[in-house]
Each structure stands twice: as C-alpha cells, then as structure tokens.
Amino acid sequence: MVPFSEIASLFREFKHTAFRLETRRGYASDRNSPKWARWKSGADIATEPDNAWRENVRVQTAEGKRFERVRLVDQPLTEGQQFLLDSGRSNVAAGEDIRNLPRTQADRLGLPDHDFWLFDSRLVVRFVFGEDDTTLGVVLSEDPAEVALACQARDAAWHHATRTADFAKAVASTG
C-alpha cells in the first residue's frame, strides 16, 4: 500500500482512459472539506471555479484522453452521494464523464464493493479505506487477472449507468 499522493502523476501520464468506480456511501475527504461546509450552508457548489483537478481534466481531455467515473448510489441518496451529485457537475463541465448506477443494480451485475481507478485498461489502483471513510492508501496492480476483472466491472457499470445530468433530473423529479 502506498499513499494516494504517490500516484498523482498517473492522472497526467495515462495514455487514453482513466476510469473510477466509486462504491462508498460517503467520503471523509468530502466531509472534511470547506466545500462540504459551503454545501451544507446552502451554497451552489455546482459551478465553482476550476481547481487543480478540473484544470488537469481540461488539459487531458483536450488531448483526446477520457476521464470516466461511475458512482454507485443508494435510493434515496445518502448525504455524501447528494453532495457528490451537486459537486460533480463542475467536473462534468470540465470534461469528466460521470455516471450514476443504483447500488441494487450494481449488486445484480456483480460489481465489486471497492473503489478503484483503472488506467489505460492495464493498471488497477484499489483504494483502502478506514472505518470512517478515510483513504488510508492505495494498492497498485498490473496483474492480468485483476486488470481483467476491473475492465469487466468498468464495462458493465458503464453500460448500465446514467449520465449525471439525466440522473440529477430524475432525482429532482422524485425528490
């Protein structure tokens, strides 16, 4: 296991795709951020100014690379998932394609119950979390069996997930 900060270069150096599967109901990094406090106080966080993440997404997608993410969500959404839905709109505007998939459907598809990044269909970066949703580190693997499972999970999740804008409309109409 290595600290997440040690893989930062992967988000600039990948060749074609960076895919993330998010499985948790909330993240300590979100709850501990100033953005969370602004959101809790009613601020519109969907259109915040660029940060280093979104600036990099813009650069990479301008080069033809893809940032893709599928978030497993509960029905109703947890507070953490609602925050990510609101917050993620600025990432989408920067060029990241974020989609949402109900957890019940993910279970039927046999998707993994852990978060990971998959870079260029060759490197899996699996997150390790503490009980309080704090990221403890990541484990890197180029093992062909692990990579194949991550690719299968990505393909199934992507096929069944709903784009953020469409998902947000559906949530608003039922909420």
Side-chain angles (χ1 to χ4, degrees):
M1 184 168 66
V2 300
F4 183 76
S5 59
E6 286 191 19
I7 68 155
S9 64
L10 293 174
F11 296 99
R12 294 181 306 279
E13 297 168 358
F14 71 99
K15 303 291 185 225
H16 53 83
T17 55
F19 170 83
R20 168 83 184 263
L21 181 68
E22 289 185 355
T23 65
R24 301 189 72 82
R25 289 174 170 88
Y27 296 87
S29 58
D30 292 335
R31 292 189 301 272
N32 296 328
S33 73
K35 190 175 190 177
W36 178 273
R38 289 192 304 277
W39 176 73
K40 290 289 286 182
S41 69
D44 178 8
I45 60 169
T47 57
E48 293 206 333
D50 272 357
N51 59 16
W53 176 262
R54 289 189 293 278
E55 288 170 9
N56 183 56
V57 167
R58 287 183 197 286
V59 167
Q60 302 308 320
T61 56
E63 293 178 7
K65 299 177 186 179
R66 294 189 326 263
F67 275 93
E68 302 170 339
R69 187 183 305 245
V70 172
R71 292 181 167 144
L72 304 189
V73 292
D74 296 282
Q75 296 168 316
L77 298 180
T78 67
E79 186 176 45
Q81 292 163 353
Q82 185 62 57
F83 170 81
L84 287 172
L85 181 61
D86 292 345
S87 175
R89 294 176 191 176
S90 54
N91 288 21
V92 170
E96 187 174 353
D97 193 344
I98 302 175
R99 300 182 183 199
N100 298 269
L101 181 67
R103 188 174 307 279
T104 53
Q105 194 169 4
D107 291 343
R108 283 193 300 273
L109 293 169
L111 295 182
D113 63 354
H114 59 271
D115 284 36
F116 66 85
W117 277 101
L118 175 63
F119 293 95
D120 297 327
S121 300
R122 66 164 194 80
L123 174 65
V124 178
V125 177
R126 185 175 49 83
F127 285 77
V128 178
F129 291 98
E131 289 183 25
D132 64 349
D133 303 316
T134 298
T135 303
L136 302 176
V138 293
V139 176
L140 284 68
S141 175
E142 291 182 293
D143 175 73
E146 285 186 56
V147 170
L149 287 172
C151 289
Q152 290 169 348
R154 174 203 57 210
D155 293 348
W158 196 252
H159 178 73
H160 293 279
T162 303
R163 291 183 183 274
T164 292
D166 297 333
F167 184 78
K169 286 178 193 169
V171 167
S173 69
T174 61

PDB file of all heavy atoms in Angstrom, residues 21 23 70 72 101-102 105-114 152-158:
ATOM      1  N   LEU A  21     -14.380   3.681 -10.336  1.00  0.00           N
ATOM      2  CA  LEU A  21     -15.610   3.139  -9.763  1.00  0.00           C
ATOM      3  C   LEU A  21     -15.648   3.603  -8.318  1.00  0.00           C
ATOM      4  O   LEU A  21     -14.707   3.363  -7.562  1.00  0.00           O
ATOM      5  CB  LEU A  21     -15.633   1.606  -9.822  1.00  0.00           C
ATOM      6  CG  LEU A  21     -16.906   0.972  -9.247  1.00  0.00           C
ATOM      7  CD1 LEU A  21     -18.123   1.293 -10.118  1.00  0.00           C
ATOM      8  CD2 LEU A  21     -16.740  -0.539  -9.106  1.00  0.00           C
ATOM      9  N   THR A  23     -17.758   3.338  -4.835  1.00  0.00           N
ATOM     10  CA  THR A  23     -18.724   2.429  -4.228  1.00  0.00           C
ATOM     11  C   THR A  23     -19.199   2.865  -2.845  1.00  0.00           C
ATOM     12  O   THR A  23     -20.169   2.309  -2.338  1.00  0.00           O
ATOM     13  CB  THR A  23     -18.117   1.021  -4.095  1.00  0.00           C
ATOM     14  OG1 THR A  23     -17.011   1.054  -3.178  1.00  0.00           O
ATOM     15  CG2 THR A  23     -17.652   0.489  -5.440  1.00  0.00           C
ATOM     16  N   VAL A  70     -18.039   6.059 -12.594  1.00  0.00           N
ATOM     17  CA  VAL A  70     -19.369   5.565 -12.250  1.00  0.00           C
ATOM     18  C   VAL A  70     -19.464   5.548 -10.731  1.00  0.00           C
ATOM     19  O   VAL A  70     -18.613   4.980 -10.048  1.00  0.00           O
ATOM     20  CB  VAL A  70     -19.646   4.157 -12.824  1.00  0.00           C
ATOM     21  CG1 VAL A  70     -20.965   3.606 -12.269  1.00  0.00           C
ATOM     22  CG2 VAL A  70     -19.698   4.205 -14.349  1.00  0.00           C
ATOM     23  N   LEU A  72     -21.754   4.410  -7.551  1.00  0.00           N
ATOM     24  CA  LEU A  72     -22.870   3.604  -7.074  1.00  0.00           C
ATOM     25  C   LEU A  72     -23.646   4.452  -6.083  1.00  0.00           C
ATOM     26  O   LEU A  72     -23.059   5.112  -5.220  1.00  0.00           O
ATOM     27  CB  LEU A  72     -22.371   2.324  -6.398  1.00  0.00           C
ATOM     28  CG  LEU A  72     -21.471   1.433  -7.245  1.00  0.00           C
ATOM     29  CD1 LEU A  72     -21.234   0.102  -6.535  1.00  0.00           C
ATOM     30  CD2 LEU A  72     -22.029   1.215  -8.639  1.00  0.00           C
ATOM     31  N   LEU A 101     -25.141   4.789 -10.920  1.00  0.00           N
ATOM     32  CA  LEU A 101     -25.736   3.465 -11.035  1.00  0.00           C
ATOM     33  C   LEU A 101     -26.304   3.063  -9.682  1.00  0.00           C
ATOM     34  O   LEU A 101     -25.576   3.075  -8.682  1.00  0.00           O
ATOM     35  CB  LEU A 101     -24.665   2.449 -11.473  1.00  0.00           C
ATOM     36  CG  LEU A 101     -25.115   1.007 -11.657  1.00  0.00           C
ATOM     37  CD1 LEU A 101     -26.080   0.885 -12.842  1.00  0.00           C
ATOM     38  CD2 LEU A 101     -23.904   0.106 -11.860  1.00  0.00           C
ATOM     39  N   PRO A 102     -27.600   2.732  -9.631  1.00  0.00           N
ATOM     40  CA  PRO A 102     -28.167   2.294  -8.356  1.00  0.00           C
ATOM     41  C   PRO A 102     -27.420   1.073  -7.807  1.00  0.00           C
ATOM     42  O   PRO A 102     -27.081   0.149  -8.540  1.00  0.00           O
ATOM     43  CB  PRO A 102     -29.609   1.941  -8.705  1.00  0.00           C
ATOM     44  CG  PRO A 102     -29.913   2.759  -9.927  1.00  0.00           C
ATOM     45  CD  PRO A 102     -28.618   2.803 -10.692  1.00  0.00           C
ATOM     46  N   GLN A 105     -28.741  -2.355  -8.613  1.00  0.00           N
ATOM     47  CA  GLN A 105     -28.394  -2.828  -9.949  1.00  0.00           C
ATOM     48  C   GLN A 105     -26.930  -3.288  -9.988  1.00  0.00           C
ATOM     49  O   GLN A 105     -26.598  -4.294 -10.618  1.00  0.00           O
ATOM     50  CB  GLN A 105     -28.644  -1.732 -10.978  1.00  0.00           C
ATOM     51  CG  GLN A 105     -28.634  -2.230 -12.393  1.00  0.00           C
ATOM     52  CD  GLN A 105     -29.148  -1.171 -13.373  1.00  0.00           C
ATOM     53  OE1 GLN A 105     -29.437  -0.036 -12.997  1.00  0.00           O
ATOM     54  NE2 GLN A 105     -29.248  -1.541 -14.623  1.00  0.00           N
ATOM     55  N   ALA A 106     -26.055  -2.559  -9.313  1.00  0.00           N
ATOM     56  CA  ALA A 106     -24.646  -2.946  -9.247  1.00  0.00           C
ATOM     57  C   ALA A 106     -24.495  -4.314  -8.587  1.00  0.00           C
ATOM     58  O   ALA A 106     -23.687  -5.141  -9.032  1.00  0.00           O
ATOM     59  CB  ALA A 106     -23.845  -1.895  -8.476  1.00  0.00           C
ATOM     60  N   ASP A 107     -25.286  -4.559  -7.551  1.00  0.00           N
ATOM     61  CA  ASP A 107     -25.251  -5.865  -6.888  1.00  0.00           C
ATOM     62  C   ASP A 107     -25.680  -6.967  -7.848  1.00  0.00           C
ATOM     63  O   ASP A 107     -25.059  -8.032  -7.900  1.00  0.00           O
ATOM     64  CB  ASP A 107     -26.146  -5.868  -5.645  1.00  0.00           C
ATOM     65  CG  ASP A 107     -25.597  -4.990  -4.523  1.00  0.00           C
ATOM     66  OD1 ASP A 107     -24.396  -4.636  -4.565  1.00  0.00           O
ATOM     67  OD2 ASP A 107     -26.385  -4.652  -3.611  1.00  0.00           O
ATOM     68  N   ARG A 108     -26.750  -6.715  -8.612  1.00  0.00           N
ATOM     69  CA  ARG A 108     -27.212  -7.718  -9.582  1.00  0.00           C
ATOM     70  C   ARG A 108     -26.156  -7.985 -10.658  1.00  0.00           C
ATOM     71  O   ARG A 108     -26.044  -9.101 -11.164  1.00  0.00           O
ATOM     72  CB  ARG A 108     -28.523  -7.274 -10.235  1.00  0.00           C
ATOM     73  CG  ARG A 108     -29.748  -7.448  -9.351  1.00  0.00           C
ATOM     74  CD  ARG A 108     -31.041  -7.306 -10.141  1.00  0.00           C
ATOM     75  NE  ARG A 108     -31.205  -6.022 -10.784  1.00  0.00           N
ATOM     76  CZ  ARG A 108     -31.740  -4.941 -10.204  1.00  0.00           C
ATOM     77  NH1 ARG A 108     -32.150  -5.000  -8.952  1.00  0.00           N
ATOM     78  NH2 ARG A 108     -31.853  -3.814 -10.881  1.00  0.00           N
ATOM     79  N   LEU A 109     -25.400  -6.956 -10.998  1.00  0.00           N
ATOM     80  CA  LEU A 109     -24.349  -7.102 -12.009  1.00  0.00           C
ATOM     81  C   LEU A 109     -23.084  -7.751 -11.446  1.00  0.00           C
ATOM     82  O   LEU A 109     -22.168  -8.078 -12.203  1.00  0.00           O
ATOM     83  CB  LEU A 109     -23.990  -5.733 -12.594  1.00  0.00           C
ATOM     84  CG  LEU A 109     -25.066  -5.045 -13.422  1.00  0.00           C
ATOM     85  CD1 LEU A 109     -24.682  -3.596 -13.708  1.00  0.00           C
ATOM     86  CD2 LEU A 109     -25.308  -5.815 -14.722  1.00  0.00           C
ATOM     87  N   GLY A 110     -23.020  -7.896 -10.126  1.00  0.00           N
ATOM     88  CA  GLY A 110     -21.843  -8.489  -9.501  1.00  0.00           C
ATOM     89  C   GLY A 110     -20.637  -7.567  -9.475  1.00  0.00           C
ATOM     90  O   GLY A 110     -19.495  -8.028  -9.474  1.00  0.00           O
ATOM     91  N   LEU A 111     -20.893  -6.252  -9.429  1.00  0.00           N
ATOM     92  CA  LEU A 111     -19.781  -5.304  -9.398  1.00  0.00           C
ATOM     93  C   LEU A 111     -19.051  -5.389  -8.057  1.00  0.00           C
ATOM     94  O   LEU A 111     -19.647  -5.734  -7.037  1.00  0.00           O
ATOM     95  CB  LEU A 111     -20.283  -3.876  -9.629  1.00  0.00           C
ATOM     96  CG  LEU A 111     -20.897  -3.605 -11.002  1.00  0.00           C
ATOM     97  CD1 LEU A 111     -21.297  -2.149 -11.121  1.00  0.00           C
ATOM     98  CD2 LEU A 111     -19.931  -3.982 -12.120  1.00  0.00           C
ATOM     99  N   PRO A 112     -17.767  -5.049  -8.056  1.00  0.00           N
ATOM    100  CA  PRO A 112     -17.003  -5.103  -6.809  1.00  0.00           C
ATOM    101  C   PRO A 112     -17.527  -4.094  -5.793  1.00  0.00           C
ATOM    102  O   PRO A 112     -18.183  -3.115  -6.164  1.00  0.00           O
ATOM    103  CB  PRO A 112     -15.579  -4.771  -7.243  1.00  0.00           C
ATOM    104  CG  PRO A 112     -15.646  -4.272  -8.625  1.00  0.00           C
ATOM    105  CD  PRO A 112     -16.980  -4.634  -9.195  1.00  0.00           C
ATOM    106  N   ASP A 113     -17.196  -4.331  -4.539  1.00  0.00           N
ATOM    107  CA  ASP A 113     -17.639  -3.433  -3.472  1.00  0.00           C
ATOM    108  C   ASP A 113     -16.500  -2.529  -3.002  1.00  0.00           C
ATOM    109  O   ASP A 113     -16.507  -2.045  -1.881  1.00  0.00           O
ATOM    110  CB  ASP A 113     -18.213  -4.222  -2.305  1.00  0.00           C
ATOM    111  CG  ASP A 113     -17.181  -5.131  -1.652  1.00  0.00           C
ATOM    112  OD1 ASP A 113     -16.054  -5.240  -2.176  1.00  0.00           O
ATOM    113  OD2 ASP A 113     -17.517  -5.734  -0.618  1.00  0.00           O
ATOM    114  N   HIS A 114     -15.504  -2.323  -3.863  1.00  0.00           N
ATOM    115  CA  HIS A 114     -14.383  -1.455  -3.506  1.00  0.00           C
ATOM    116  C   HIS A 114     -14.125  -0.441  -4.617  1.00  0.00           C
ATOM    117  O   HIS A 114     -14.393  -0.688  -5.783  1.00  0.00           O
ATOM    118  CB  HIS A 114     -13.114  -2.274  -3.230  1.00  0.00           C
ATOM    119  CG  HIS A 114     -12.683  -3.112  -4.392  1.00  0.00           C
ATOM    120  ND1 HIS A 114     -13.132  -4.388  -4.590  1.00  0.00           N
ATOM    121  CD2 HIS A 114     -11.867  -2.837  -5.441  1.00  0.00           C
ATOM    122  CE1 HIS A 114     -12.601  -4.879  -5.699  1.00  0.00           C
ATOM    123  NE2 HIS A 114     -11.828  -3.957  -6.236  1.00  0.00           N
ATOM    124  N   GLN A 152     -13.933  -5.677 -16.798  1.00  0.00           N
ATOM    125  CA  GLN A 152     -15.295  -6.212 -16.879  1.00  0.00           C
ATOM    126  C   GLN A 152     -16.239  -5.387 -16.017  1.00  0.00           C
ATOM    127  O   GLN A 152     -17.366  -5.073 -16.437  1.00  0.00           O
ATOM    128  CB  GLN A 152     -15.318  -7.674 -16.440  1.00  0.00           C
ATOM    129  CG  GLN A 152     -14.648  -8.599 -17.428  1.00  0.00           C
ATOM    130  CD  GLN A 152     -14.447 -10.006 -16.871  1.00  0.00           C
ATOM    131  OE1 GLN A 152     -14.598 -10.261 -15.674  1.00  0.00           O
ATOM    132  NE2 GLN A 152     -14.103 -10.930 -17.753  1.00  0.00           N
ATOM    133  N   ALA A 153     -15.790  -5.017 -14.817  1.00  0.00           N
ATOM    134  CA  ALA A 153     -16.620  -4.191 -13.930  1.00  0.00           C
ATOM    135  C   ALA A 153     -16.883  -2.831 -14.576  1.00  0.00           C
ATOM    136  O   ALA A 153     -18.007  -2.330 -14.567  1.00  0.00           O
ATOM    137  CB  ALA A 153     -15.942  -4.021 -12.572  1.00  0.00           C
ATOM    138  N   ARG A 154     -15.846  -2.234 -15.149  1.00  0.00           N
ATOM    139  CA  ARG A 154     -15.995  -0.938 -15.832  1.00  0.00           C
ATOM    140  C   ARG A 154     -17.030  -1.034 -16.946  1.00  0.00           C
ATOM    141  O   ARG A 154     -17.944  -0.215 -17.050  1.00  0.00           O
ATOM    142  CB  ARG A 154     -14.655  -0.490 -16.412  1.00  0.00           C
ATOM    143  CG  ARG A 154     -14.757   0.782 -17.255  1.00  0.00           C
ATOM    144  CD  ARG A 154     -13.634   0.941 -18.243  1.00  0.00           C
ATOM    145  NE  ARG A 154     -13.545  -0.213 -19.130  1.00  0.00           N
ATOM    146  CZ  ARG A 154     -12.410  -0.643 -19.677  1.00  0.00           C
ATOM    147  NH1 ARG A 154     -11.272  -0.032 -19.438  1.00  0.00           N
ATOM    148  NH2 ARG A 154     -12.423  -1.693 -20.481  1.00  0.00           N
ATOM    149  N   ASP A 155     -16.889  -2.054 -17.789  1.00  0.00           N
ATOM    150  CA  ASP A 155     -17.785  -2.177 -18.940  1.00  0.00           C
ATOM    151  C   ASP A 155     -19.233  -2.379 -18.508  1.00  0.00           C
ATOM    152  O   ASP A 155     -20.148  -1.769 -19.062  1.00  0.00           O
ATOM    153  CB  ASP A 155     -17.330  -3.316 -19.848  1.00  0.00           C
ATOM    154  CG  ASP A 155     -15.987  -3.031 -20.517  1.00  0.00           C
ATOM    155  OD1 ASP A 155     -15.503  -1.875 -20.460  1.00  0.00           O
ATOM    156  OD2 ASP A 155     -15.409  -3.977 -21.094  1.00  0.00           O
ATOM    157  N   ALA A 156     -19.455  -3.227 -17.508  1.00  0.00           N
ATOM    158  CA  ALA A 156     -20.822  -3.468 -17.025  1.00  0.00           C
ATOM    159  C   ALA A 156     -21.399  -2.213 -16.382  1.00  0.00           C
ATOM    160  O   ALA A 156     -22.540  -1.826 -16.654  1.00  0.00           O
ATOM    161  CB  ALA A 156     -20.832  -4.635 -16.037  1.00  0.00           C
ATOM    162  N   ALA A 157     -20.609  -1.569 -15.534  1.00  0.00           N
ATOM    163  CA  ALA A 157     -21.084  -0.355 -14.859  1.00  0.00           C
ATOM    164  C   ALA A 157     -21.400   0.736 -15.867  1.00  0.00           C
ATOM    165  O   ALA A 157     -22.455   1.372 -15.807  1.00  0.00           O
ATOM    166  CB  ALA A 157     -20.028   0.127 -13.857  1.00  0.00           C
ATOM    167  N   TRP A 158     -20.501   0.931 -16.816  1.00  0.00           N
ATOM    168  CA  TRP A 158     -20.667   1.998 -17.814  1.00  0.00           C
ATOM    169  C   TRP A 158     -21.914   1.768 -18.660  1.00  0.00           C
ATOM    170  O   TRP A 158     -22.660   2.696 -18.952  1.00  0.00           O
ATOM    171  CB  TRP A 158     -19.417   2.060 -18.692  1.00  0.00           C
ATOM    172  CG  TRP A 158     -19.315   3.327 -19.464  1.00  0.00           C
ATOM    173  CD1 TRP A 158     -19.501   3.487 -20.803  1.00  0.00           C
ATOM    174  CD2 TRP A 158     -19.020   4.616 -18.950  1.00  0.00           C
ATOM    175  NE1 TRP A 158     -19.334   4.798 -21.151  1.00  0.00           N
ATOM    176  CE2 TRP A 158     -19.032   5.516 -20.022  1.00  0.00           C
ATOM    177  CE3 TRP A 158     -18.747   5.098 -17.664  1.00  0.00           C
ATOM    178  CZ2 TRP A 158     -18.783   6.870 -19.874  1.00  0.00           C
ATOM    179  CZ3 TRP A 158     -18.494   6.446 -17.515  1.00  0.00           C
ATOM    180  CH2 TRP A 158     -18.515   7.310 -18.598  1.00  0.00           C
TER     181      TRP A 158
END
